[in-house]
Amino acid sequence: MTLPKVSIDNVLRILLSLSQYPILSSRIRHQMRKTLYSRGIVRKEVFEEEVKRKAVESQTIEGITDPLTEESNEVWLMRVTRVKDSLTDFYFAYNLPYSEFEDLVRKVLAERGNIDSDFVWVNPELAPQDLLFEQAEMIENMPDADKEKYEARLQAIIAVLIRTMISDQLKYIKIARQWFTVEDLREISRRKIGGGKIGGKAAGMLLAMRILKETAPPSIRDRFRLPVSYYLGSDVYYNFMSLNDLGGWNGQKYKTEEQMREDYPLLFEEFCKGQFPPEVRESLDRVLLEADTRPLIVRSSSLLEDNFGTSFAGKYESIFLPNQGSHEERLTALTNAIARIYTSVMNPDALIYRHTKDLADYDERIGILIQIVEGERVGRYYFPQAAGVAFSRNLFRWSPQIKQDEGFLRLVFGLGTRAVDMLADDYPRLVALSHPRLHSSSDVRTIKRYSQQNIDAIDLESNSFVTIPVREALHVDYDPLRYIAQVEQDGYLAPIRSRLDSTDKLVLTFDGLLSRTPFSKSMRAALTLLETHYGSPVDTEFTVEILHPDEQPDVQITLLQCRPQSHMHETSDVQIPNDLETEDIIFSSQTMVPQGAVQNIRYILFVPSEGYFSLQSQAERIQLERAIGQLNSALKDHTFIAVGPGRWGTSTPDLGVHVSYGDIYNSRALVELAGEEVGASPEPSFGTHFFQDLMEANIYPLGVFLDEDGTIFKRDFFYNTPNRLSEFISIENPRVMAALKLIAITDYRPNAHMDLIMDAGKSRAAAFLIGEAPPEKDDEVVTGSAPISME
């Protein structure tokens, strides 16, 4: 039987791992030669003659012409031994199955003696994974006394398996090796396709579930589970690039931002035309056979993703596949989705993010996580009953009674995309887990206005991802209806207690889920455990299924993701000065205020609502986005904040300023104006992917609700101060020029600068002028230790 050439690598790795035992290595190769001779693969005399001939050839290559005088007998014997070992490995690997080599190694190891006196240990850094699994399982199956003796060696193997299969991030390994069992790792190996690591997204999900299994009480633990998952190793990414001659794109991260953006359409096109190696396609075939026609989601799982301090939230694509049609059509859709996600590694926004995190030089190959979508079929649509994101720390409180350390949710009906994306025309339910039923407003009209209106779902008949009105997905006989919605009656919201005639007056509040099931209690307990054992606040993604809705309701929570929670660097309180004069205040806010301060502000990047909503096409909005990005780069040495209508970073540009992290990362705060005057809504972006970028970069998000009593917004400052934009960038389109303004603080008040103080404890924020401006220096973000003085 002839094996592929690559099998010799496995032989060499085992022998190299045993190099610290030269006698043992010699015995193994001696047995290998005996096997070769006994099988008639090569005769002993022929083998010995070939050894001598190749040893002489090696001398000639090294320029030795007279062996008797130029090389000692000792060196000659060493040369012959090395050539003999090399030929032994070659003949064995190319003529016998690898399993036979493993059997031979086991036999030699077993002859060494009993486990107490002579346990032989291979170097786990060099040994193949199969051998590591075997040795780890051997230790795990020992009697307790023996297992304790070899516990350190077991930990070494587990650490190496985690590093080679899952993640090489040291903080992750330090935590994960305390929790993962060998069986956990073996199960990952069974579901892994190709070489390399499975990446950060898969790593976080698996670790979180293991922690909950070990630490949560049974009543909590049994409510959590993982989705059916498959892992495409990170090495497949480079194999794909090599097979399709895409290596020329490897230098994208070192190009200018302008060149990155110019190249990306062609890069995207070339990647999407790429083909996968036959062995990868065969493995994906098996995935489709197991999944049958259940919808799939293909998710990025890069080596850097979901790490401590660098979540890469939303930087790489996730693609839903309805997974309908013929097998070949489904396989084509799956490989196309993987190729598209590969392109996102070189998306300009992702590359800029890496530069801002000093990660541009890291080898960022990407793993892929393929999961069966959680949910159920409702008519022609497929979606979960609820989904969302959960945070162990509630960074923004809309009521003093809310406890920061008991967590926060963004909860939606249907697929969780509407919980993590910033959609200015729709709203998730915000849940403070310390007070789950406490809405951010007590006014029924406000609750109704800012409730979820649309649902993301998979249309199984059209084989597509769709967004449809909630009422199109809901019907009066839908079993979980009473847990998801309430009915509006006479100006009040009431629970659904009997069968309805229609869904016209339904409002999605999730009050039934939050009050009548153990969901909120379970989430709060799980988040606390994960934060404790991560040693850091965490955020997760999840879906919810309501079990036994007509009897004693319970929930099944599927954990989709877990990572360290992005947060501001806070040390203690900051306070707004008590003697602040109204004439010095430029703007103020009283709702959902973060904690912190930005001092010595010199410029404000201002997007007037009139100019923004006068833009006549998507092309003009893109021009504005690029202009903001250019201004962001030009102002990198100045302290500035950005002020504009609606939600910064929204994916709905009609209702907010559509920018990405790469366009505003030098800003110190993003102020979102809301109210009738600016035609924008006040629902906050807390918990979205864009919001997490702001947290990591210490960019404060702040809403200014112009319709609220007590809010200050000095129009004279924003509209009558000169525009300094042309001093930094050039804009040719007059409509785009009218939608962007750069205000210098000293133009409004000479020798002044501005401070922005945000006091979460009192839910107050104020941006105010201070006398004479100090000398220019780097951006200064204060989360100070004492009240900020006016002096």
Side-chain angles (χ1 to χ4, degrees):
M1 176 180 179
T2 301
L3 293 180
K5 184 176 180 180
V6 72
S7 63
I8 196 170
D9 294 340
N10 292 326
V11 173
L12 292 173
R13 288 180 67 189
I14 286 185
L15 294 169
L16 184 59
S17 73
L18 294 167
S19 59
Q20 57 185 305
Y21 306 104
I23 296 176
L24 182 61
S25 299
S26 177
R27 288 179 61 191
I28 290 173
R29 283 197 169 98
H30 176 71
Q31 292 298 324
M32 290 167 67
R33 286 191 287 273
K34 285 182 64 176
T35 303
L36 292 172
Y37 301 155
S38 66
R39 297 288 185 86
I41 292 171
V42 62
R43 288 188 292 120
K44 181 176 181 179
E45 56 271 25
V46 172
F47 181 84
E48 296 290 349
E49 181 61 33
E50 186 174 2
V51 168
K52 292 178 182 178
R53 176 168 53 81
K54 288 188 176 296
V56 171
E57 289 175 358
S58 71
Q59 287 180 319
T60 304
I61 291 172
E62 294 175 16
I64 297 174
T65 57
D66 188 354
L68 294 178
T69 60
E70 294 184 53
E71 186 168 82
S72 66
N73 187 58
E74 181 181 5
V75 174
W76 166 253
L77 290 176
M78 185 183 298
R79 183 185 297 275
V80 168
T81 299
R82 289 179 176 174
V83 171
K84 181 183 287 188
D85 288 347
S86 178
L87 274 178
T88 300
D89 301 343
F90 176 84
Y91 273 108
F92 203 100
Y94 276 80
N95 292 278
L96 293 169
Y98 178 57
S99 59
E100 191 160 333
F101 172 69
E102 289 185 307
D103 291 341
L104 185 150
V105 172
R106 291 191 194 98
K107 182 179 178 181
V108 173
L109 292 177
E111 292 171 353
R112 293 278 298 174
N114 64 57
I115 201 163
D116 290 324
S117 62
D118 205 10
F119 184 69
V120 176
W121 189 252
V122 296
N123 185 342
E125 301 288 351
L126 301 172
Q129 283 181 3
D130 285 348
L131 186 59
L132 291 180
F133 275 117
E134 187 171 305
Q135 293 236 336
E137 288 165 350
M138 184 190 306
I139 295 173
E140 284 200 333
N141 293 326
M142 289 177 183
D144 289 343
D146 291 328
K147 184 176 180 179
E148 184 177 351
K149 179 180 177 181
Y150 293 101
E151 181 62 29
R153 289 175 172 173
L154 177 61
Q155 288 298 311
I157 288 181
I158 288 175
V160 169
L161 288 172
I162 291 170
R163 184 167 62 251
T164 55
M165 288 175 48
I166 302 178
S167 171
D168 59 5
Q169 302 296 328
L170 295 181
K171 285 187 177 180
Y172 178 85
I173 296 171
K174 182 179 179 180
I175 299 172
R177 67 179 174 80
Q178 302 173 45
W179 298 98
F180 280 129
T181 66
V182 177
E183 181 53 36
D184 291 333
L185 299 172
R186 176 72 85 176
E187 179 61 21
I188 294 170
S189 179
R190 292 188 192 105
R191 291 186 167 273
K192 185 163 159 290
I193 300 169
K197 304 173 183 65
I198 63 176
K201 191 168 290 178
M205 173 188 73
L206 292 164
L207 176 58
M209 193 66 238
R210 168 47 61 189
I211 290 173
L212 293 180
K213 279 184 178 180
E214 293 292 330
T215 63
S219 61
I220 302 296
R221 179 192 63 213
D222 294 344
R223 292 192 181 102
F224 285 85
R225 68 182 182 92
L226 294 180
V228 177
S229 303
Y230 311 88
Y231 315 104
L232 195 63
S234 56
D235 286 359
V236 178
Y237 173 69
Y238 276 169
N239 294 340
F240 174 84
M241 292 188 68
S242 176
L243 178 66
N244 295 287
D245 196 24
L246 297 168
W249 295 112
N250 274 328
Q252 285 301 104
K253 60 188 177 182
Y254 297 116
K255 294 182 179 179
T256 64
E257 179 181 346
E258 182 180 5
Q259 191 62 53
M260 291 177 194
R261 296 192 185 279
E262 184 178 332
D263 289 347
Y264 189 66
L266 178 59
L267 180 154
F268 185 90
E269 180 182 348
E270 292 189 1
F271 267 72
C272 290
K273 291 178 180 177
Q275 300 297 312
F276 285 84
E279 64 272 16
V280 172
R281 288 180 63 88
E282 289 173 8
S283 296
L284 295 175
D285 261 329
R286 292 194 294 272
V287 169
L288 291 177
L289 287 173
E290 186 173 336
D292 196 18
T293 57
R294 289 176 290 177
L296 299 172
I297 180 171
V298 186
R299 312 177 73 192
S300 67
S301 187
S302 82
L303 302 190
L304 288 172
E305 204 165 356
D306 291 358
N307 194 20
F308 289 81
T310 55
S311 70
F312 279 78
K315 295 295 175 293
Y316 304 133
E317 277 205 76
S318 292
I319 299 173
F320 283 98
L321 298 178
N323 197 30
Q324 307 300 296
S326 68
H327 181 83
E328 190 57 36
E329 288 171 337
R330 293 187 293 125
L331 180 59
T332 298
L334 179 56
T335 54
N336 287 346
I338 295 169
R340 277 186 57 187
I341 292 173
Y342 281 167
T343 69
S344 61
V345 176
M346 298 185 191
N347 183 294
D349 291 329
L351 295 178
I352 291 168
Y353 178 88
R354 289 178 60 189
H355 276 282
T356 63
K357 298 296 180 182
D358 292 327
L359 294 170
D361 298 326
Y362 187 86
D363 176 21
E364 173 61 326
R365 67 190 76 183
I366 194 168
I368 298 290
L369 178 58
I370 304 170
Q371 295 175 316
I372 294 176
V373 177
E374 293 296 313
E376 61 183 349
R377 183 164 188 160
V378 180
R380 64 186 291 169
Y381 302 114
Y382 185 98
F383 52 83
Q385 295 169 0
V389 288
F391 304 83
S392 65
R393 293 298 177 98
N394 188 350
L395 299 181
F396 292 86
R397 297 174 293 168
W398 54 89
S399 172
Q401 66 195 102
I402 291 173
K403 297 177 181 177
Q404 185 182 52
D405 59 356
E406 293 195 17
F408 166 77
L409 310 179
R410 290 173 66 90
L411 193 60
V412 297
F413 176 49
L415 297 174
T417 43
R418 302 188 85 75
V420 298
D421 293 335
M422 203 182 309
L423 303 166
D425 59 343
D426 211 357
Y427 312 95
R429 169 68 194 273
L430 305 182
V431 181
L433 285 173
S434 64
H435 296 79
R437 297 187 64 188
L438 181 65
H439 289 266
S440 56
S441 172
S442 60
D443 180 67
V444 172
R445 290 174 300 175
T446 302
I447 294 173
K448 181 179 178 182
R449 179 182 176 188
Y450 298 115
S451 63
Q452 185 180 348
Q453 306 297 318
N454 297 295
I455 174 177
D456 287 345
I458 292 170
D459 187 334
L460 297 174
E461 293 184 11
S462 67
N463 199 26
S464 61
F465 177 92
V466 295
T467 298
I468 57 174
V470 163
R471 287 178 179 80
E472 189 174 328
L474 287 177
H475 53 80
V476 294
D477 294 321
Y478 184 54
D479 285 342
L481 184 61
R482 73 189 68 176
Y483 299 95
I484 294 169
Q486 290 180 286
V487 62
E488 184 184 10
Q489 295 177 343
D490 302 322
Y492 295 93
L493 291 176
I496 300 172
R497 301 191 186 279
S498 59
R499 191 181 186 279
L500 300 175
D501 294 328
S502 73
T503 59
D504 291 346
K505 293 190 175 183
L506 289 181
V507 180
L508 265 62
T509 63
F510 296 97
D511 275 28
L513 174 66
L514 297 169
S515 63
R516 298 177 57 193
T517 77
F519 168 67
S520 57
K521 176 183 176 182
S522 300
M523 288 299 301
R524 185 166 61 244
L527 290 169
T528 298
L529 287 170
L530 291 172
E531 176 174 325
T532 298
H533 294 290
Y534 258 74
S536 163
V538 298
D539 82 65
T540 68
E541 294 182 17
F542 62 88
T543 65
V544 185
E545 179 185 4
I546 301 167
L547 306 175
H548 322 301
D550 294 325
E551 303 168 14
Q552 183 66 34
D554 206 336
V555 291
Q556 182 80 71
I557 303 167
T558 302
L559 196 62
L560 305 178
Q561 185 171 316
C562 181
R563 60 187 167 206
Q565 182 177 345
S566 305
H567 61 279
M568 297 286 190
H569 301 298
E570 298 179 11
T571 55
S572 60
D573 292 341
V574 292
Q575 297 178 13
I576 298 172
N578 293 326
D579 56 351
L580 192 60
E581 299 291 340
T582 303
E583 64 185 27
D584 293 327
I585 300 175
I586 300 301
F587 62 83
S588 67
S589 178
Q590 304 171 87
T591 305
M592 295 188 185
V593 174
Q595 183 71 33
V598 184
Q599 288 186 295
N600 193 25
I601 299 168
R602 300 302 182 119
Y603 292 96
I604 294 182
L605 184 162
F606 178 50
V607 177
S609 59
E610 301 87 344
Y612 181 74
F613 294 118
S614 294
L615 296 175
Q616 297 183 357
S617 65
Q618 181 62 21
E620 288 187 343
R621 292 193 183 100
I622 292 174
Q623 290 176 37
L624 175 64
E625 183 180 348
R626 295 279 67 81
I628 291 173
Q630 292 169 13
L631 193 56
N632 172 74
S633 298
L635 292 172
K636 66 179 181 178
D637 296 324
H638 302 278
T639 305
F640 75 98
I641 64 174
V643 178
R647 279 181 263 180
W648 289 93
T650 177
S651 58
T652 311
D654 286 341
L655 298 170
V657 184
H658 181 262
V659 291
S660 65
Y661 171 77
D663 298 315
I664 49 80
Y665 61 85
N666 285 322
S667 173
R668 301 312 319 145
L670 294 184
V671 180
E672 302 177 335
L673 303 178
E676 296 291 339
E677 180 181 342
V678 294
S681 66
E683 196 278 327
S685 57
F686 311 145
T688 63
H689 287 157
F690 185 73
F691 174 77
Q692 292 177 68
D693 286 340
L694 304 186
M695 292 294 98
E696 290 176 6
N698 276 323
I699 301 172
Y700 292 95
L702 177 66
V704 174
F705 306 138
L706 301 178
D707 297 339
E708 286 190 355
D709 293 337
T711 295
I712 295 173
F713 180 74
K714 193 157 290 185
R715 291 184 58 86
D716 179 55
F717 173 87
F718 286 97
Y719 285 92
N720 296 331
T721 307
N723 190 350
R724 293 288 194 99
L725 192 64
S726 60
E727 297 177 16
F728 291 87
I729 64 172
S730 174
I731 300 177
E732 295 182 1
N733 187 320
R735 281 188 297 274
V736 176
M737 185 71 178
L740 185 60
K741 186 173 184 178
L742 183 64
I743 300 170
I745 304 299
T746 53
D747 283 344
Y748 185 80
R749 181 180 294 179
N751 301 320
H753 67 280
M754 188 169 78
D755 284 357
L756 171 59
I757 308 299
M758 293 157 285
D759 187 339
K762 296 180 179 178
S763 194
R764 290 184 60 213
F768 51 90
L769 301 178
I770 295 181
E772 187 169 330
E776 282 276 9
K777 55 182 176 180
D778 291 340
D779 290 4
E780 183 178 0
V781 179
V782 176
T783 55
S785 57
I788 294 176
S789 171
M790 290 289 289
E791 297 179 356

